[in-house]
Amino acid sequence: MERRMLLKRIVIFIIAGVITYFSCSIYMGYQPPSISAATYRWGSRGSVVTEIQRRLKNWGYYNGSVDGIYGYQTYLAVRKFQAKNGLAVDGIVGSRTLSALGINAGTNSAYSASNSHTLISRAINGEARGEPYIGQVAVGGVILNRTRDPRFPNSVAGVIYQPGAFTAITDGQIHAEMVATSQRAARDALNGWDPSGGAIYYFNPAKTTNKWIWSRPLIKVIGSHRFCR
């Protein structure tokens, strides 16, 4: 009986000690480290910085060496990218800028999927709101088809932010007020519905000034858009 009481006292003592430790840690402002909260700034080094530089260089924001060292040129390129894409212009690559760049710096797959849904929703909203619902899903299909095509970037963010790829990026419609159908269409596209028939291009013949796009083989017409190979 005495032995059992002694064990109970020891367990209570240990639990009390653990509670006290974490209570003090919270009081002192301690938070468990989280890689999703990582930031990259002037002076940072490593593989994530290399990937930041590579993407910025591919998209025309950065002209320096892809050396994994966050220096002045990288700082300026990040600020330029942030200004172009409606982000806080501070030259620091935090979670929002990483997401816009399409870089998954250790976050879990659920976060990555959520981020893809948000980006595709915004692209559909900027490019195809007002189109028939099936046409909105088809635009999402084109984005995903491009991620699987070696001629295009292999991430949703890379495809959407590729220079000159989408009018919504150029004219700022990517940040237009979201309509509910754009979000539903993005979800349907991510779930595998592709009304475009495997298209990797689409355009509105009433608005385009690009003669080359007319040379692409037509798959189908949905609403105002022609979907092509």
Side-chain angles (χ1 to χ4, degrees):
M1 185 72 177
E2 291 180 356
R3 186 176 179 182
R4 186 177 298 174
M5 289 295 296
L6 179 61
L7 287 173
K8 283 184 179 180
R9 289 176 182 175
I10 291 171
V11 170
I12 292 170
F13 178 79
I14 292 171
I15 292 172
V18 170
I19 291 172
T20 301
Y21 172 80
F22 280 105
S23 296
C24 291
S25 297
I26 293 169
Y27 176 78
M28 294 298 291
Y30 170 82
Q31 291 181 337
S34 170
I35 193 164
S36 65
T39 58
Y40 302 86
R41 64 188 75 207
W42 200 333
S44 297
R45 295 171 178 251
S47 59
V48 175
V49 175
T50 300
E51 185 62 16
I52 290 168
Q53 292 172 328
R54 187 185 70 78
R55 296 192 184 213
L56 291 173
K57 194 178 187 75
N58 287 345
W59 301 340
Y61 293 98
Y62 178 63
N63 295 318
S65 300
V66 180
D67 55 10
I69 302 172
Y70 199 125
Y72 183 61
Q73 285 184 286
T74 306
Y75 168 79
L76 291 179
V78 167
R79 287 179 61 89
K80 193 184 302 181
F81 176 81
Q82 290 171 329
K84 184 72 173 178
N85 293 286
L87 300 163
V89 182
D90 55 12
I92 298 171
V93 183
S95 58
R96 291 194 65 193
T97 302
L98 281 171
S99 297
L101 286 165
I103 297 174
N104 179 5
T107 55
N108 60 42
S109 58
Y111 175 84
S112 181
S114 174
N115 185 46
S116 293
H117 176 253
T118 299
L119 286 173
I120 294 172
S121 298
R122 289 223 157 270
I124 291 171
N125 196 66
E127 292 276 318
R129 67 184 183 280
E131 290 292 309
Y133 183 71
I134 190 173
Q136 294 179 38
V137 181
V139 168
V142 168
I143 293 168
L144 292 171
N145 291 339
R146 288 189 178 189
T147 66
R148 296 184 283 266
D149 190 301
R151 292 169 291 180
F152 297 92
N154 62 2
S155 69
V156 168
V159 165
I160 291 173
Y161 288 111
Q162 187 176 27
F166 294 97
T167 305
I169 299 297
T170 306
D171 63 14
Q173 288 299 306
I174 190 80
H175 303 299
E177 183 178 354
M178 184 72 72
V179 297
T181 54
S182 298
Q183 295 175 309
R184 292 204 305 272
R187 179 61 60 203
D188 280 340
L190 284 164
N191 286 337
W193 185 21
D194 180 16
S196 79
I200 55 172
Y201 299 101
Y202 67 89
F203 67 100
N204 184 336
K207 295 182 179 180
T208 188
T209 57
N210 186 330
K211 294 181 180 180
W212 174 84
I213 196 67
W214 284 94
S215 70
R216 307 313 304 163
L218 177 67
I219 297 176
K220 62 176 66 176
V221 176
I222 306 176
S224 301
H225 288 136
R226 294 169 64 91
F227 292 84
C228 312
R229 293 184 178 85

